[in-house]
Each structure stands twice: as structure tokens, then as C-alpha cells.
Amino acid sequence: GAVVSQHPSWVICKSGTSVKIECRSLDFQATTMFWYRQFPKQSLMLMATSNEGSKATYEQGVEKDKFLINHASLTLSTLTVTSAHPEDSSFYICSVRLQSYNEQFFGPGTRLTVL
Amino acid sequence: DAKTTQPPSMDCAEGRAANLPCNHSTISGNEYVYWYRQIHSQGPQYIIHGLKNNETNEMASLIITEDRKSSTLILPHATLRDTAVYYCIVRYMIYNQGGKLIFGQGTELSVKP
């Protein structure tokens, strides 16, 4: 399957700062990428869908001005958590769907802790 | 996308087959059944998917009932490394365009020695 990487794997930041998380599709071009968030002991929650070269589509209840998504190339999408607060502490996971395949592949996740 | 119902937890003895059930009674004709698993603190891993025929790969087998209202994921010889949360998801697929993967609560499988 496709290899998806995320950077950083974990990050600790102070409240009020912004954090950028990168998601890369290493061996395939990904026209569509997804961002999920997972709180402890809970399931994954879809935050947004991003298509290369166009604006992301956010799920209901997800603030687009707080979670900025950029999908500038077929291999890179970034999620920026702006003005992070402790309640934003979570496990953020990106996912890649390849147009020619029915599978969707996930990155290893980024653990964000906001102090 | 149709919702799924899975038992919250299951145990399985190491070396035995693990049979994980999933109900998806409102599945429609264009919806596929997908299975993923998530080992603690990792991203989900794709296991298998199917439409109406039984499927098998190197990881598992997927048995879908004839009416497609339920399915079973079978891990033929469970190992300790198969301990994970297993998610059954239904997703529509038409003309190679798929819907979103929406995760439910999944089944926490514990493989015990």
C-alpha cells in the first residue's frame, strides 16, 4: 500500500501558539487527503477533506479558521492549528486516497500537546 | 454512508481464529464494506474490503452475508500482535469515486496467550 508520513510525530507547544503538521504521500500522487482527530479512548473523527489545488471541505463543527489546511501539491498537505489551546491536544492523523484504488491509507499520526 | 454496529470488545486465544462481526443492515447497493484496525497510538491500517463476494488476502478473510446486512472479519490464526481496535466501515463507491471513511467505535480485540 501507499506510504504516508507525518511530521512531526509529536509536538508540545504553549497555549496561543500555532503548530503546523505535515502529511506526505511518499510513493503515490494523492489527489485527495483527509485529516482526522482522535481524543483518548475515542474513535477517529473526520475533520476535513482536501483536494489538491482547491479549498478544503470541513466537517460540521470544525472551525476552518482555526484548523488551516493547505494541499499545495499532489504529495503534501499541511494542517495548521492556530492559536492552540489545551483542548486542542489530540492525536491528528492524515489519510491519503488514491484515485485509482479503492483503499485509503493512513499516516502514523501526530500527537499534539498544548500546555 | 450506512452505519455499522460492532461489539465493543472481544477476546481471542493466541493461535485460534478471531471472528469479528459487524452489522450494517441499512447498507445500499453501491456501498462497500471496509475493515481497518488501529494498534495503540498508531494510524489505522487497511485490512480488507468487499462488496458482496467473500474476500481473502494475506491478512484476513471477509465473509459477507447474501443479503449484505452483516459481515465477519476472520483472522485465521490470531497472534498477540493482532491486539487492536478493529473498525468496520461502509463506504459508497461508484465510478471509482468514493465517499468518506467515517469511523464508528470499533471492536477492541484482545489476543491472549
Side-chain angles (χ1 to χ4, degrees), chain A residues 4-10 21-22 35 90-94 106-112, chain B residues 41-44:
Chain A
V4 182
S5 72
Q6 284 186 236
H7 177 80
S9 55
W10 59 271
I21 302 170
E22 291 186 349
W35 286 95
S90 188
F91 193 48
Y92 292 88
I93 308 168
C94 74
F106 287 80
T110 297
R111 174 96 35 209
L112 170 63
Chain B
S41 294
Q42 296 182 24

Side-chain angles (χ1 to χ4, degrees), chain A residues 34 36 38 42-44 46 49 59 91 93 97 99-100 102-108 111, chain B residues 34 36 38 41-44 46 49 87 91 93 96-105:
Chain A
F34 303 86
Y36 291 80
Q38 186 176 32
Q42 295 187 24
S43 185
L44 284 79
L46 179 64
T49 302
E59 295 298 305
F91 193 48
I93 308 168
R97 186 168 75 209
Q99 192 164 3
S100 59
N102 285 336
E103 296 104 14
Q104 187 169 319
F105 303 98
F106 287 80
R111 174 96 35 209
Chain B
Y34 283 75
Y36 282 80
Q38 186 180 26
S41 294
Q42 296 182 24
Y46 167 81
H49 75 278
Y87 296 98
R91 189 185 86 170
M93 180 69 67
N96 229 22
Q97 295 295 318
K100 297 174 281 192
L101 281 178
I102 305 298
F103 286 76
Q105 294 307 306

Side-chain angles (χ1 to χ4, degrees), chain A residues 2-115:
Chain A
V3 179
V4 182
S5 72
Q6 284 186 236
H7 177 80
S9 55
W10 59 271
V11 57
I12 301 172
C13 70
K14 293 182 179 179
S15 186
T17 60
S18 294
V19 174
K20 180 185 283 189
I21 302 170
E22 291 186 349
C23 175
R24 292 182 185 273
S25 176
L26 298 183
D27 48 0
F28 286 93
Q29 293 184 330
T31 54
T32 305
M33 288 185 171
F34 303 86
W35 286 95
Y36 291 80
R37 179 169 57 181
Q38 186 176 32
F39 292 109
K41 304 280 187 193
Q42 295 187 24
S43 185
L44 284 79
M45 185 195 80
L46 179 64
M47 299 175 68
T49 302
S50 77
N51 293 294
E52 185 264 339
S54 61
K55 289 184 178 180
T57 302
Y58 290 80
E59 295 298 305
Q60 192 171 10
V62 178
E63 301 174 59
K64 61 181 180 181
D65 294 330
K66 181 168 183 62
F67 299 99
L68 302 179
I69 292 172
N70 185 285
H71 191 161
S73 78
L74 288 172
T75 59
L76 174 65
S77 176
T78 60
L79 168 69
T80 301
V81 183
T82 62
S83 187
H85 291 285
E87 57 265 30
D88 299 323
S89 298
S90 188
F91 193 48
Y92 292 88
I93 308 168
C94 74
S95 180
V96 164
R97 186 168 75 209
L98 314 174
Q99 192 164 3
S100 59
Y101 293 86
N102 285 336
E103 296 104 14
Q104 187 169 319
F105 303 98
F106 287 80
T110 297
R111 174 96 35 209
L112 170 63
T113 301
V114 184
L115 302 177

Side-chain angles (χ1 to χ4, degrees), chain B residues 42-78:
Chain B
Q42 296 182 24
Q45 177 189 21
Y46 167 81
I47 301 173
I48 200 167
H49 75 278
L51 181 61
K52 51 186 174 182
N53 297 322
N54 297 338
E55 302 287 344
T56 296
N57 62 21
E58 64 278 3
M59 287 182 69
S61 294
L62 174 60
I63 308 299
I64 303 174
T65 57
E66 195 169 339
D67 63 7
R68 301 210 320 124
K69 293 185 177 184
S70 65
S71 61
T72 301
L73 178 75
I74 301 173
L75 308 178
H77 305 287

Side-chain angles (χ1 to χ4, degrees), chain B residues 14-27:
Chain B
E14 187 179 20
R16 304 297 293 269
N19 297 288
L20 291 92
C22 179
N23 284 322
H24 30 80
S25 58
T26 60
I27 194 169

